[in-house]
Short mmCIF file of all heavy atoms in Angstrom, two decimals:
data_model
loop_
_atom_site.label_atom_id
_atom_site.label_comp_id
_atom_site.label_asym_id
_atom_site.label_seq_id
_atom_site.Cartn_x
_atom_site.Cartn_y
_atom_site.Cartn_z
N MET A 1218 -13.36 11.53 -26.77
CA MET A 1218 -12.54 10.99 -25.69
C MET A 1218 -11.43 10.23 -26.31
O MET A 1218 -11.63 9.39 -27.17
CB MET A 1218 -13.36 10.14 -24.76
CG MET A 1218 -12.57 9.57 -23.63
SD MET A 1218 -13.63 8.51 -22.55
CE MET A 1218 -14.79 9.75 -21.86
N GLN A 1228 0.23 -5.49 -21.66
CA GLN A 1228 -0.90 -6.42 -21.57
C GLN A 1228 -0.57 -7.78 -21.08
O GLN A 1228 -1.27 -8.39 -20.27
CB GLN A 1228 -1.59 -6.42 -22.98
CG GLN A 1228 -2.18 -5.13 -23.41
CD GLN A 1228 -2.63 -5.14 -24.86
OE1 GLN A 1228 -2.23 -6.05 -25.62
NE2 GLN A 1228 -3.38 -4.12 -25.26
N ILE A 1246 -3.35 -22.72 1.26
CA ILE A 1246 -3.35 -23.87 2.15
C ILE A 1246 -3.75 -23.28 3.54
O ILE A 1246 -3.35 -22.16 3.92
CB ILE A 1246 -1.90 -24.41 2.28
CG1 ILE A 1246 -1.48 -24.98 0.90
CG2 ILE A 1246 -1.79 -25.49 3.38
CD1 ILE A 1246 -0.03 -25.40 0.87
N MET A 1248 -4.04 -21.88 7.05
CA MET A 1248 -2.98 -21.34 7.91
C MET A 1248 -3.62 -21.00 9.24
O MET A 1248 -4.80 -20.82 9.34
CB MET A 1248 -2.41 -20.02 7.33
CG MET A 1248 -1.67 -20.22 6.05
SD MET A 1248 -1.08 -18.56 5.48
CE MET A 1248 -2.57 -17.58 5.34
N LEU A 1252 -3.39 -11.96 14.45
CA LEU A 1252 -3.64 -10.57 14.05
C LEU A 1252 -3.17 -9.63 15.12
O LEU A 1252 -3.45 -9.74 16.27
CB LEU A 1252 -5.17 -10.36 13.86
CG LEU A 1252 -5.90 -11.26 12.83
CD1 LEU A 1252 -7.37 -10.98 12.92
CD2 LEU A 1252 -5.38 -11.02 11.43
N GLY A 1259 -8.52 -5.22 11.24
CA GLY A 1259 -8.31 -6.51 11.78
C GLY A 1259 -9.58 -7.42 11.74
O GLY A 1259 -9.47 -8.60 11.35
N HIS A 1260 -10.75 -6.83 11.93
CA HIS A 1260 -11.98 -7.56 11.84
C HIS A 1260 -12.25 -8.00 10.37
O HIS A 1260 -12.73 -9.11 10.10
CB HIS A 1260 -13.16 -6.77 12.39
CG HIS A 1260 -13.28 -6.77 13.87
ND1 HIS A 1260 -12.46 -5.96 14.66
CD2 HIS A 1260 -14.05 -7.50 14.68
CE1 HIS A 1260 -12.76 -6.21 15.94
NE2 HIS A 1260 -13.72 -7.11 16.00
N LEU A 1267 -11.20 -16.41 7.54
CA LEU A 1267 -12.06 -17.46 7.88
C LEU A 1267 -12.79 -18.01 6.61
O LEU A 1267 -13.01 -19.18 6.45
CB LEU A 1267 -13.09 -17.04 8.89
CG LEU A 1267 -12.53 -16.68 10.31
CD1 LEU A 1267 -13.65 -16.23 11.22
CD2 LEU A 1267 -11.83 -17.90 10.96
N GLN A 1281 -2.63 -4.10 24.19
CA GLN A 1281 -2.41 -5.43 24.74
C GLN A 1281 -0.94 -5.89 24.49
O GLN A 1281 -0.30 -5.54 23.51
CB GLN A 1281 -3.39 -6.45 24.14
CG GLN A 1281 -4.86 -6.15 24.48
CD GLN A 1281 -5.80 -7.13 23.77
OE1 GLN A 1281 -5.51 -7.68 22.79
NE2 GLN A 1281 -6.94 -7.32 24.44
N ALA A 1291 1.42 -17.37 10.20
CA ALA A 1291 1.64 -16.04 9.63
C ALA A 1291 1.04 -14.96 10.62
O ALA A 1291 0.02 -15.16 11.26
CB ALA A 1291 0.98 -15.83 8.31
N VAL A 1292 1.79 -13.83 10.81
CA VAL A 1292 1.39 -12.77 11.58
C VAL A 1292 0.96 -11.65 10.64
O VAL A 1292 1.72 -11.30 9.62
CB VAL A 1292 2.45 -12.21 12.50
CG1 VAL A 1292 2.12 -10.92 13.21
CG2 VAL A 1292 2.80 -13.24 13.60
N ASP A 1294 -0.04 -7.62 10.59
CA ASP A 1294 0.02 -6.51 11.47
C ASP A 1294 -0.69 -5.30 10.81
O ASP A 1294 -0.20 -4.83 9.70
CB ASP A 1294 1.50 -6.12 11.71
CG ASP A 1294 1.65 -4.74 12.33
OD1 ASP A 1294 1.39 -4.60 13.53
OD2 ASP A 1294 2.03 -3.78 11.60
N THR A 1297 -0.55 0.34 14.79
CA THR A 1297 -0.42 1.77 14.79
C THR A 1297 0.96 2.23 14.46
O THR A 1297 1.94 1.42 14.60
CB THR A 1297 -0.75 2.36 16.15
OG1 THR A 1297 0.19 1.87 17.14
CG2 THR A 1297 -2.17 2.03 16.61
N GLY A 1312 10.57 -15.96 14.69
CA GLY A 1312 10.62 -16.83 13.50
C GLY A 1312 9.32 -16.92 12.70
O GLY A 1312 9.15 -17.81 11.92
N SER A 1317 2.58 -6.80 6.89
CA SER A 1317 2.27 -5.55 7.51
C SER A 1317 1.75 -4.54 6.44
O SER A 1317 2.26 -4.43 5.39
CB SER A 1317 3.52 -4.94 8.17
OG SER A 1317 3.17 -3.65 8.75
N GLY A 1321 3.33 4.92 8.38
CA GLY A 1321 3.77 5.93 9.28
C GLY A 1321 4.97 5.52 10.19
O GLY A 1321 5.33 6.20 11.05
N ILE A 1329 14.35 -3.36 9.48
CA ILE A 1329 13.54 -4.55 9.32
C ILE A 1329 14.19 -5.44 8.16
O ILE A 1329 14.28 -6.63 8.32
CB ILE A 1329 12.10 -4.24 8.98
CG1 ILE A 1329 11.38 -3.62 10.19
CG2 ILE A 1329 11.31 -5.49 8.62
CD1 ILE A 1329 11.37 -4.43 11.41
N MET A 1364 3.60 12.35 -19.55
CA MET A 1364 3.69 13.77 -19.28
C MET A 1364 5.11 14.31 -19.16
O MET A 1364 5.34 15.48 -19.32
CB MET A 1364 2.94 14.02 -17.98
CG MET A 1364 1.44 13.64 -17.95
SD MET A 1364 0.50 14.16 -19.38
CE MET A 1364 -1.01 13.25 -19.09
N VAL A 1373 1.63 18.82 -11.53
CA VAL A 1373 0.99 17.66 -10.98
C VAL A 1373 0.62 17.97 -9.55
O VAL A 1373 1.41 18.52 -8.81
CB VAL A 1373 1.81 16.45 -11.13
CG1 VAL A 1373 1.06 15.20 -10.63
CG2 VAL A 1373 2.30 16.21 -12.55
N VAL A 1378 -8.07 11.27 0.56
CA VAL A 1378 -9.09 11.40 1.51
C VAL A 1378 -9.23 10.08 2.31
O VAL A 1378 -9.37 9.02 1.72
CB VAL A 1378 -10.43 11.77 0.85
CG1 VAL A 1378 -11.44 12.11 1.90
CG2 VAL A 1378 -10.28 12.88 -0.16
N LEU A 1430 -7.05 14.98 3.37
CA LEU A 1430 -8.28 15.31 4.02
C LEU A 1430 -8.74 14.14 4.86
O LEU A 1430 -8.57 12.97 4.51
CB LEU A 1430 -9.33 15.59 2.92
CG LEU A 1430 -9.08 16.73 2.01
CD1 LEU A 1430 -10.02 16.80 0.85
CD2 LEU A 1430 -9.22 18.09 2.80
N GLY A 1433 -15.31 11.86 7.85
CA GLY A 1433 -16.27 10.81 8.21
C GLY A 1433 -15.53 9.42 8.22
O GLY A 1433 -14.61 9.26 8.97
N ILE A 1438 -9.60 7.41 -0.80
CA ILE A 1438 -9.65 8.01 -2.15
C ILE A 1438 -8.34 8.60 -2.46
O ILE A 1438 -7.75 9.36 -1.60
CB ILE A 1438 -10.73 9.10 -2.29
CG1 ILE A 1438 -12.15 8.49 -1.91
CG2 ILE A 1438 -10.83 9.63 -3.68
CD1 ILE A 1438 -13.20 9.56 -1.85
N VAL A 1449 -7.11 19.82 -17.64
CA VAL A 1449 -6.58 18.95 -16.60
C VAL A 1449 -6.96 17.54 -16.89
O VAL A 1449 -8.09 17.24 -17.26
CB VAL A 1449 -7.00 19.49 -15.23
CG1 VAL A 1449 -8.50 19.36 -15.05
CG2 VAL A 1449 -6.25 18.65 -14.10
N MET A 1464 -8.55 -8.70 1.69
CA MET A 1464 -8.22 -9.83 0.80
C MET A 1464 -6.80 -9.82 0.38
O MET A 1464 -6.13 -10.83 0.41
CB MET A 1464 -9.11 -9.83 -0.38
CG MET A 1464 -8.83 -10.87 -1.46
SD MET A 1464 -9.11 -12.54 -0.81
CE MET A 1464 -10.85 -12.65 -0.97
N LEU A 1473 3.50 -15.80 1.35
CA LEU A 1473 4.67 -15.84 2.09
C LEU A 1473 5.09 -17.23 2.51
O LEU A 1473 6.27 -17.51 2.84
CB LEU A 1473 4.63 -15.00 3.42
CG LEU A 1473 5.00 -13.52 3.35
CD1 LEU A 1473 5.09 -12.93 4.76
CD2 LEU A 1473 6.38 -13.29 2.68
N GLN A 1474 4.16 -18.16 2.61
CA GLN A 1474 4.40 -19.49 3.12
C GLN A 1474 5.57 -20.18 2.37
O GLN A 1474 5.54 -20.24 1.14
CB GLN A 1474 3.16 -20.37 3.13
CG GLN A 1474 2.08 -19.80 3.91
CD GLN A 1474 2.45 -19.50 5.44
OE1 GLN A 1474 2.81 -20.43 6.10
NE2 GLN A 1474 2.39 -18.23 5.79
#
Side-chain angles (χ1 to χ4, degrees):
M1218 180 179 294
Q1228 292 170 346
I1246 299 172
M1248 298 180 298
L1252 301 174
H1260 281 81
L1267 295 177
Q1281 295 179 334
V1292 172
D1294 168 77
T1297 60
S1317 178
I1329 293 297
M1364 301 310 172
V1373 185
V1378 188
L1430 298 168
I1438 302 172
V1449 62
M1464 175 62 79
L1473 271 190
Q1474 298 306 296

